[in-house]
Amino acid sequence: GENVEQHPSTLSVQEGDSAVIKCTYSDSASNYFPWYKQELGKRPQLIIDIRSNVGEKKDQRIAVTLNKTAKHFSLHITETQPEDSAVYFCAASNAGNMLTFGGGTRLMVKP
Amino acid sequence: NAGVTQTPKFQVLKTGQSMTLQCAQDMNHEYMSWYRQDPGMGLRLIHYSVGAGITDQGEVPNGYNVSRSTTEDFPLRLLSAAPSQTSVYFCASSYGGTSTEAFFGQGTRLTVV
């Protein structure tokens, strides 16, 4: 089955700095890579996703890149703000299968 | 649209008791799934369904049963609760097919004593 590794497990940045979270996956058949944000005590919510036919996708301060050859994808948050503090999860799936999640990254943005 | 609704939000069970976690969605999604989230860990797939009458096991299915008699509902049954099943449980649904967004319920925090 699919295996997703996520690093780092904890990330602390100063407000205004950039944050980068990296994930690797094992199944070359995976073709969908979403990123979820989970605030304390809340449900995970999708913030951005990318499909395997695209190398990069951007939405305002958030961007995701995908390298299919190396089987890794990354989340980039620019100009971080205190409200970006949360746990972020990457995931991978292919058509017909459910999501396999990484272990999560706790992002702390210091004012 | 209520989205994905889970009940109860909190539950305490004694070891050996059984219970059912309810999950309902009103978005006419074909795919539904159950995950558990343990402290400091990601979400692990317990069981999933790709349509009414079809279920399959995920990564950690032992100790849990599911059924899918309707498109809307996907209950998760704990047969004989154990302390190792103390966790937060999330139900999710999606349209299915080629990779679409999963919508999560608000979660059920279960403690087994």
Side-chain angles (χ1 to χ4, degrees), chain A residues 1-50:
Chain A
E2 176 65 276
N3 183 50
V4 178
E5 299 283 342
Q6 182 172 346
H7 299 280
S9 57
T10 304
L11 180 59
S12 181
V13 300
Q14 207 66 37
E15 182 178 359
D17 287 351
S18 295
V20 180
I21 303 170
K22 298 183 179 181
C23 290
T24 60
Y25 62 98
S26 61
D27 187 351
S28 57
S30 289
N31 57 13
Y32 176 63
F33 308 92
W35 286 87
Y36 285 82
K37 176 183 181 182
Q38 186 179 31
E39 297 176 346
L40 189 63
K42 301 288 182 64
R43 72 191 79 189
Q45 294 200 299
L46 181 74
I47 55 172
I48 195 167
D49 57 13
I50 191 168

Side-chain angles (χ1 to χ4, degrees), chain B residues 57-113:
Chain B
Q57 296 181 351
E59 180 186 355
V60 288
N62 292 341
Y64 308 94
N65 271 357
V66 292
S67 61
R68 184 96 179 270
S69 56
T70 67
T71 299
E72 295 77 20
D73 300 299
F74 190 44
L76 177 72
R77 281 182 286 277
L78 279 71
L79 309 174
S80 178
S84 61
Q85 293 179 303
T86 293
S87 189
V88 179
Y89 291 83
F90 286 99
C91 177
S93 73
S94 64
Y95 282 111
T98 53
S99 321
T100 58
E101 178 180 356
F103 294 83
F104 285 84
Q106 74 270 38
T108 296
R109 184 173 295 276
L110 175 68
T111 302
V112 183
V113 298

Side-chain angles (χ1 to χ4, degrees), chain B:
Chain B
N1 268 359
V4 181
T5 303
Q6 286 182 239
T7 56
K9 291 185 180 179
F10 302 95
Q11 183 70 50
V12 178
L13 286 179
K14 293 183 178 178
T15 297
Q17 285 185 317
S18 62
M19 78 160 295
T20 300
L21 279 62
Q22 301 293 342
C23 176
Q25 52 92 8
D26 61 359
M27 297 175 283
N28 202 30
H29 285 171
E30 287 297 320
Y31 284 28
M32 295 186 74
S33 52
W34 278 101
Y35 293 87
R36 61 176 288 174
Q37 183 175 31
D38 299 307
M41 296 182 67
L43 294 97
R44 292 184 292 168
L45 183 64
I46 304 171
H47 285 286
Y48 66 97
S49 169
V50 299
I54 306 169
T55 64
D56 206 347
Q57 296 181 351
E59 180 186 355
V60 288
N62 292 341
Y64 308 94
N65 271 357
V66 292
S67 61
R68 184 96 179 270
S69 56
T70 67
T71 299
E72 295 77 20
D73 300 299
F74 190 44
L76 177 72
R77 281 182 286 277
L78 279 71
L79 309 174
S80 178
S84 61
Q85 293 179 303
T86 293
S87 189
V88 179
Y89 291 83
F90 286 99
C91 177
S93 73
S94 64
Y95 282 111
T98 53
S99 321
T100 58
E101 178 180 356
F103 294 83
F104 285 84
Q106 74 270 38
T108 296
R109 184 173 295 276
L110 175 68
T111 302
V112 183
V113 298

